[in-house]
Amino acid sequence: MNEEELVEYFRAQMRKDPDMASAVAAIRTLLEFLKRDKGETILGLRESLKWATDCLTGEDSSVAVSSGGELFLRFISLTSLEHQDLSRCKKVMEERGELFLEKISMSRTKVAKLCHTFIKDGAKILTHSYSRVVLRVLEKAAAEKKRFSVYVTESQPDSAGRQMAEALRKLNVPVTVVLDAAVGYVLEKVDLVIVGAEGVVESGGIINKIGTYQMAVCSKAHNKPFYVVAESFKFVRLYPLNQQDVPDKFKIYCDFHLFITTFSEHSWRSCWCRVRRCSSLSALTQTT
Amino acid sequence: MVMFSLTPVLDVCTQQQEGKELTKEEKQRLRKEKKQQKKSKEKKDDKPSRDSEKEKKPASAASPAPQTPTQPPAQKAAPAPVPVPASETPSAADKPAKSKAELKAERRARQEAERASKGKKGDVGPQAAPGKPKAPPSELQPVVKRLPEHVQVDNPEVLKKLAKKLERQQVYGCAPNCCGCIPLRSDYGYKVSLFSHLHQYSRKAPLTQQLGIPSTVIHPAIVRLGLQYSQGIVAGSNARSVALLHAFKQVIRDYTTPPNEELSRDLVNRLKPYISFLNQCRPLSASMGNAIKYIKKEISNIPSQCKEEEAKRKLLNCIDCYINEKIVLAAKAIAKYSIEKISDGDVILVYGCSSLVNHILCEAFEKNRKFRVIVVDSRPRLEGREALRRLVQKGINCTYVLISAVSYILPEVSKVFLGAHALLANGYVMSRVGTSQIALVAKAFNVPVLVCCETYKFCERVQTDSFVSNELDDPDDLIVTRTGTTQLEHWQEVPSLGLLNLVYDVTPPDFVDLVITDLGMIPCTSVPVVLRVKNVDQ
């Protein structure tokens, strides 16, 4: 499977299901790549999988694709590969890959199941921009017959917050769109803040749409709980010390549905806030 | 750890020496009986008073062998930290005074009988080790928390015991009436009350002056090493560990197994007085403690059918591997990770002289990163000058300030790189005094603080403040000022004046942003995970 086929397959997956996370599509692509790979050695297999991940990262530069690819590779190799012939090893790896894919496809549902209990009846929630995971959480809470209202920030420059508001209106949830600058004004009214994440870094912080850091700092000042919902494949092996330390490739995002190629000096997705301490990454991959 | 490594030795021994095996088993049985007797007497007696000395005496007598000071800190990992002065040990064991004397007499009688029948000589060192770790799991008795004696200096009982222990550590070949083979070093000067539980020695009175001639009891390489430590000629945690390992290599080269003895047990016993001697010269560091543990484990793992030459070769090889892997290669790995964090245009602040941090900066400079360095220094050691010399020799652009100017210089700084003496199990960083101050000020200015530390310096101890366990250096170092005047020369005559020359301090993990180890970049709170993984590996 060469580069064009890889990218084409990836795009096809994204087109098939626009609601799917790009990382899931990437992992599907990698699994297909693994099945079609004609390598002779396990080391060669790993190298070609890494190369495939790099290709996909070049196509879609979000953090989740690179972290998902790396976690996929680790998961399938985290087993005894001491078989005599390569085809059996490959079979084992493919089975692990299917297992991994199955687990992460259900990840949003699992997150929603765990998180909806944090939303109490009558709660006022603040969220930032459009996040499918947060939407799923709020859907689940609404399905549990909880009454809550939502404030969404408009989240310029792409006004993704309005998309979120539309989706919430369809669920009959009272929603208000506020300006990004109005976060400090509205925080005294809300009970909790829930945001999604592009990536979770090793120090326990998150990478997310620009404006999230301000929201986190303000909510700390107001002593409001700040929750982040993220699937486990978004845990990435980065350790940024400050905003400048995040690699540039994660800061600029080209959405290939909308073909936005302009980016201003203030990068879109570079925002890192220390939410709360998480355990180290190695402990996490053992549980996946 | 010790338990796992010594059971194979026991198995090997049982096949060969039935007599000795019986003795060990008998001793363990005896110990169990004693403890059960104590327990039943406790239940009978309802004495509520808990006198610390009475608890300590049966506790120390319970394990019949003398123990090196490095072992108790290591084996106290599981119990909670005990940052209290010696007089109030919070142990739950209730040992009434009158039964203690009876028990002691019984025990002594039994031991004399045994000794007479088996004709055993010298220490019971290796048997204490399997005895001790096996005893706590098998007994349901509350564990007596014993403080290491190097933090109980203000307790005269403990000092007396230490003196006796040093006398008892007779080395083979030493005449029986040669008293005080390893002399007890006496404290010097008035100690500030908050630190009166620590030793304070004077550099002008090294331990070697009190050693008799011939000092064949201690190997000359070790004597030289001890002198180098106490005079500060060899300083810095890596340098001390490497010097220690080289001295031990020399000891092993010159060692010959006496007849009727096994190398694996005899050599360990030989090393004990050396370690006590070095501890008297200068308290052992965490890295040295880990190195010693490793060597002892390697020695005990030598199979008894191994010939002496081969065993010695193997041990020398092990030591070389340890130095290479844990120090040299680790430094390379850490440099590789650190270079990712150094970007062009950085202003890096370093404190004191850490061999690892200097190595990292030199490597980064060779890889053509453009940065400049600010070296912060402090009295009385002025180690920053050495760091400055090394960096300037490489051609790195450097600035030199004293620690009092650190809040002035910090707005210019983009990163702080610190070295560590040890990383404690709760994530605290133990390093040269002044480090926590730098970390605190850097946090206030939102400057990231990176600590570089090899994994062999990770230690199972837990400490939350700098008072409990520290080192006091010679207070006379503080007398001389820059202009050469010595107004404090007669400080001992002023009754209300005390000079304090602390060596280490402890930095909380909230002030440290990143720890770079040879395993990668981890947050400070992941240290217990690394320790757990290391224990599993061993």
Side-chain angles (χ1 to χ4, degrees), chain A residues 202 239 241 245 274 280, chain B residues 341 513-514 521 523 526:
Chain A
E202 271 189 78
Y239 206 123
L241 298 169
D245 223 4
R274 182 172 302 216
S280 70
Chain B
K341 288 293 169 197
D513 289 300
L514 178 61
M521 297 192 268
S526 290

Side-chain angles (χ1 to χ4, degrees), chain B residues 208 218-234 239-248 251 274-275 277-278 281-282 284 288 292:
Chain B
T208 44
I218 310 261
H219 192 282
I222 303 282
V223 176
R224 185 178 65 174
L225 187 67
L227 200 57
Q228 283 173 334
Y229 283 165
S230 64
Q231 300 299 93
I233 298 169
V234 172
R240 283 166 69 187
S241 308
V242 171
L244 177 75
L245 290 169
H246 281 303
F248 276 173
V251 167
Y274 300 162
I275 295 166
F277 172 73
L278 291 174
C281 290
R282 191 178 164 186
L284 296 179
M288 288 164 71
I292 288 171

Side-chain angles (χ1 to χ4, degrees), chain B residues 50-100:
Chain B
R50 297 157 187 221
D51 209 353
S52 61
E53 279 147 71
K54 290 174 194 154
E55 288 165 348
K56 276 194 221 108
K57 288 221 175 88
S60 60
S63 57
Q67 274 189 327
T68 62
T70 51
Q71 281 188 2
Q75 280 163 352
K76 273 172 192 45
V82 190
V84 294
S87 51
E88 303 155 8
T89 37
S91 100
D94 204 8
K95 311 234 188 283
K98 48 183 181 171
S99 62
K100 165 198 68 111

Side-chain angles (χ1 to χ4, degrees), chain B residues 277-531:
Chain B
F277 172 73
L278 291 174
N279 201 27
Q280 288 288 299
C281 290
R282 191 178 164 186
L284 296 179
S285 64
S287 50
M288 288 164 71
N290 286 344
I292 288 171
K293 254 195 265 181
Y294 174 78
I295 292 184
K296 283 192 176 169
K297 188 174 81 95
E298 286 301 312
I299 295 176
S300 330
N301 279 344
I302 300 267
S304 46
Q305 53 260 45
C306 204
K307 282 200 267 287
E308 188 178 316
E309 281 311 311
E310 201 190 309
K312 281 181 10 176
R313 206 169 28 86
K314 221 162 134 184
L315 284 174
L316 292 175
N317 205 20
C318 280
I319 294 182
D320 280 330
C321 275
Y322 188 81
I323 296 180
N324 196 29
E325 275 173 36
K326 306 278 179 174
I327 303 179
V328 176
L329 289 179
K332 287 210 181 98
I334 293 175
K336 194 169 71 96
Y337 289 120
S338 314
I339 285 172
E340 292 169 30
K341 288 293 169 197
I342 299 179
S343 29
D344 286 341
D346 258 346
V347 179
I348 298 178
L349 187 130
V350 299
Y351 177 65
C353 182
S354 164
S355 53
L356 188 56
V357 173
N358 291 340
H359 181 254
I360 290 169
L361 294 176
C362 296
E363 285 280 324
F365 190 72
E366 275 169 30
K367 298 249 167 34
N368 293 325
R369 290 278 198 280
K370 308 268 175 295
F371 59 92
R372 65 183 181 94
V373 175
I374 298 179
V375 179
V376 178
D377 202 5
S378 71
R379 278 196 70 227
R381 286 176 176 239
L382 292 173
E383 288 170 331
R385 296 189 177 181
E386 175 60 32
L388 190 67
R389 193 181 62 84
R390 290 189 203 171
L391 296 174
V392 168
Q393 232 172 20
K394 277 277 175 176
I396 302 175
N397 209 343
C398 293
T399 310
Y400 178 82
V401 291
L402 288 181
I403 195 165
S404 29
V406 85
S407 59
Y408 167 76
I409 202 94
L410 252 162
E412 291 181 19
V413 173
S414 64
K415 291 192 177 71
V416 177
F417 270 78
L418 298 172
H421 168 85
L423 237 67
L424 305 175
N426 55 352
Y428 280 65
V429 178
M430 181 176 226
S431 186
R432 183 70 79 220
V433 66
T435 311
S436 64
Q437 196 179 335
I438 305 248
L440 179 66
V441 181
K443 185 76 181 179
F445 280 89
N446 273 326
V447 173
V449 173
L450 288 78
V451 170
C452 308
C453 182
E454 300 97 332
T455 44
Y456 87 104
K457 288 183 188 161
F458 283 24
C459 127
E460 306 235 349
R461 217 149 41 104
V462 169
Q463 218 178 304
T464 52
D465 58 56
S466 318
F467 301 112
V468 152
S469 171
N470 207 326
E471 194 187 323
L472 295 178
D473 210 358
D474 192 351
D476 289 339
D477 286 346
L478 296 177
I479 296 179
V480 186
T481 67
R482 192 167 55 99
T483 50
T485 53
T486 52
Q487 274 136 340
L488 288 172
E489 203 172 1
H490 307 288
W491 67 277
Q492 307 234 32
E493 294 161 21
V494 181
S496 51
L497 182 62
L499 295 189
L500 181 65
N501 191 357
L502 273 182
V503 181
Y504 297 117
D505 71 11
V506 155
T507 308
D510 320 325
F511 299 146
V512 176
D513 289 300
L514 178 61
V515 176
I516 308 181
T517 66
D518 38 318
L519 296 175
M521 297 192 268
I522 59 172
C524 232
T525 44
S526 290
V527 171
V529 178
V530 172
L531 280 170

